[in-house]
Amino acid sequence: MNAAGALPGSVLVMGAGSIGCYVGGCLAAAGVPVTLVGRPRVLDAVAQHGLTLTDLEGNARKVEAGAMQLAQAVPVGATPSIVLLCVKSGATAEAAAELGAALPAGTVVLSLQNGISNAAVASKAAPGLKVLPSMVPYNIAELAPGAFHRGTTGRLMSVEHAALKPWLATFEKAGVPLDLLADLRAVQWGKLLINLNNPVNALSGLPLREELLQHGYRRCFAALMEEAIGVLVAAGIEPAQVTAVPAQRLPTVLRLPNWLFRIVAARMLKIDAKARSSMADDLALGRRTEVDALCGEVVRLAQAHGRAAPRNAKMVELLDGEWPKPPQQLSPDAMCRALGI
Ligand SMILES: NC(=O)c1ccc[n+]([C@@H]2O[C@H](COP(=O)([O-])OP(=O)(O)OC[C@H]3O[C@@H](n4cnc5c(N)ncnc54)[C@H](OP(=O)(O)O)[C@@H]3O)[C@@H](O)[C@H]2O)c1
């Protein structure tokens, strides 16, 4: 609902997975007409069970399947007010091309995706659409068919655009508050630094909290982050602070012994036991991960500035090197050895 109490329009979610079902579901629960475009695996579950949306604050919402439109492709003649692009990075170009072919020119698309380049990739595939880089700060896990859980906190971010202003009150009321910034690049890099834990988490095979409580895995995360921060300095990019601890201090905090880390990083550990990284979900489903959009982006930025980022490159190799063969889970010691720590 906007300030005048009216709904600002309809929303189309492109890629109904963890983020799409959670954010789209919250908006539907607030009365927004929502279309979920996704795959049969997810849509059949939503059709059967509706959506159950829970969070670490203990809230639980139910959205009946009939309250949303479910579609395996962008419906012909669709004219959503805004689109939430929620596919994984590897699927961005194809999904954007589908949107571009079906929607009116100028439709505003929020790229609710990790990494740096998804909005640019989508714009290239669908030049008629207005794609805005956006950022999802929290973790969403699919706990059961149709059941999505927000395991951490934060506010969505996107780029200032007149079409989004009328939506702010609705997103707030729906429990998925959205902030608009003039430029999202610093925030995207700040988030990417934190996301460097995703490949560590995926290869650990553990829930996020359990993984972060293992000193060896934290050393790996710290090493990847430190290397990336060095590359950002060389590139003249100052990452925004997206967590309680500034990114530059995080490697030191991560290397603390467990007993001290539990105290110093108490806020960071406010992740409930169910939360996993979405990269871990990809491995569980036998899908290719987004490691190239995270560690690979660090490697490319390093190369563009005459440097190397061997640890991030190694992470790409560990996860992607033998694709489609699934990567091996690694113990903390084995991962440290692989990264040369
Ligand atoms: N989950 C999180 O906690 C989290 C947090 C912050 C940011 N993010 C970011 O948010 C983005 C989405 O992540 P996610 O975890 O929500 O991914 P996800 O659960 O894999 O959801 C994406 C869904 O979109 C489907 N899809 C792909 N191409 C499609 C197309 N052309 N038409 C219809 N459906 C299509 C995928 O199906 P197939 O895979 O079968 O093709 C999948 O079911 C990623 O960039 C991720 O890094 C995630």
Side-chain angles (χ1 to χ4, degrees), residues 13-21 37-43 71-74 85-92 94-96 98 111-115 118 135-142 148-149 152 191 195 198 208 276-279 281-282 285 287 290 293-294:
V13 170
M14 187 61 178
S18 299
I19 297 300
C21 286
V37 181
R39 306 297 194 201
R41 183 187 76 80
V42 177
L43 296 185
Q72 286 181 39
V74 181
L85 178 57
C86 303
V87 301
K88 288 272 166 60
S89 304
T92 299
E94 195 183 315
E98 199 180 322
S111 154
L112 289 182
Q113 299 172 286
N114 278 335
N118 276 301
M135 194 276 286
V136 180
Y138 35 72
N139 176 270
I140 307 291
E142 185 180 356
F148 295 89
H149 179 78
T152 57
K191 178 77 197 304
N195 285 142
N198 290 8
L208 272 170
R276 303 176 305 259
S277 72
S278 60
M279 202 176 279
D281 291 346
D282 287 338
L285 289 168
R287 299 188 300 200
E290 286 186 305
L294 302 173

Side-chain angles (χ1 to χ4, degrees), residues 21-22 25-26 29 51-55 59-63 146-148:
C21 286
Y22 186 82
C26 286
L51 284 173
T52 303
L53 309 167
T54 53
D55 60 41
N59 301 303
R61 272 170 286 185
K62 178 91 191 147
V63 189
F148 295 89

Side-chain angles (χ1 to χ4, degrees), residues 10-338:
S10 60
V11 168
L12 183 138
V13 170
M14 187 61 178
S18 299
I19 297 300
C21 286
Y22 186 82
V23 178
C26 286
L27 291 168
V32 175
V34 171
T35 301
L36 297 180
V37 181
R39 306 297 194 201
R41 183 187 76 80
V42 177
L43 296 185
D44 290 352
V46 178
Q48 196 180 343
H49 307 283
L51 284 173
T52 303
L53 309 167
T54 53
D55 60 41
L56 80 166
E57 290 93 17
N59 301 303
R61 272 170 286 185
K62 178 91 191 147
V63 189
E64 298 303 331
M68 297 163 290
Q69 187 180 1
L70 309 178
Q72 286 181 39
V74 181
V76 176
T79 54
S81 315
I82 54 172
V83 174
L84 308 180
L85 178 57
C86 303
V87 301
K88 288 272 166 60
S89 304
T92 299
E94 195 183 315
E98 199 180 322
L99 289 169
L103 300 180
T107 302
V108 168
V109 178
L110 281 74
S111 154
L112 289 182
Q113 299 172 286
N114 278 335
I116 308 297
S117 306
N118 276 301
V121 169
S123 293
K124 195 170 169 209
L129 303 180
K130 180 68 195 165
V131 187
L132 305 174
S134 308
M135 194 276 286
V136 180
Y138 35 72
N139 176 270
I140 307 291
E142 185 180 356
L143 300 184
F148 295 89
H149 179 78
R150 175 167 61 74
T152 57
T153 59
R155 299 171 70 86
L156 299 171
M157 287 186 197
S158 191
V159 174
E160 282 169 4
H161 189 282
L164 293 182
K165 298 240 164 71
W167 279 95
L168 297 183
T170 303
F171 274 72
E172 191 85 35
K173 183 168 174 274
V176 283
L178 169 68
D179 293 328
L180 303 182
L181 273 71
D183 185 355
L184 214 69
R185 204 151 176 85
V187 166
Q188 286 180 305
W189 276 110
K191 178 77 197 304
L192 186 143
L193 290 176
I194 306 304
N195 285 142
L196 293 178
N197 185 50
N198 290 8
V200 177
N201 177 255
L203 290 175
S204 77
L206 297 174
L208 272 170
R209 193 170 192 283
E210 219 177 303
E211 175 249 306
L212 282 169
L213 285 170
Q214 298 229 19
H215 189 242
Y217 288 135
R218 291 203 306 276
R219 286 176 61 211
C220 294
F221 179 18
L224 293 169
M225 222 177 158
E226 216 159 56
E227 184 175 82
I229 290 169
V231 172
L232 290 179
V233 170
I237 298 171
E238 191 162 339
Q241 182 175 341
V242 297
T243 51
V245 183
Q248 286 78 353
R249 275 185 42 216
L250 206 49
T252 309
V253 171
L254 289 168
R255 290 190 180 107
L256 293 172
N258 278 342
W259 67 271
L260 193 52
F261 179 73
R262 279 178 182 271
I263 299 168
V264 175
R267 267 182 75 182
M268 186 177 172
L269 287 170
K270 267 196 175 172
I271 311 171
D272 66 26
K274 296 168 190 160
R276 303 176 305 259
S277 72
S278 60
M279 202 176 279
D281 291 346
D282 287 338
L283 285 192
L285 289 168
R287 299 188 300 200
R288 192 169 196 157
T289 71
E290 286 186 305
V291 68
D292 185 66
L294 302 173
C295 299
E297 201 74 58
V298 176
V299 173
R300 286 187 285 278
L301 187 67
Q303 284 163 352
H305 291 84
R307 297 172 64 108
R311 287 179 172 147
N312 280 277
K314 185 69 188 177
M315 229 36 184
V316 177
E317 186 193 318
L318 287 172
L319 274 141
D320 242 6
E322 294 190 47
W323 170 260
K325 199 175 147 208
Q328 265 198 328
Q329 281 185 7
L330 293 175
S331 68
D333 283 350
M335 200 184 292
C336 286
R337 275 197 305 276

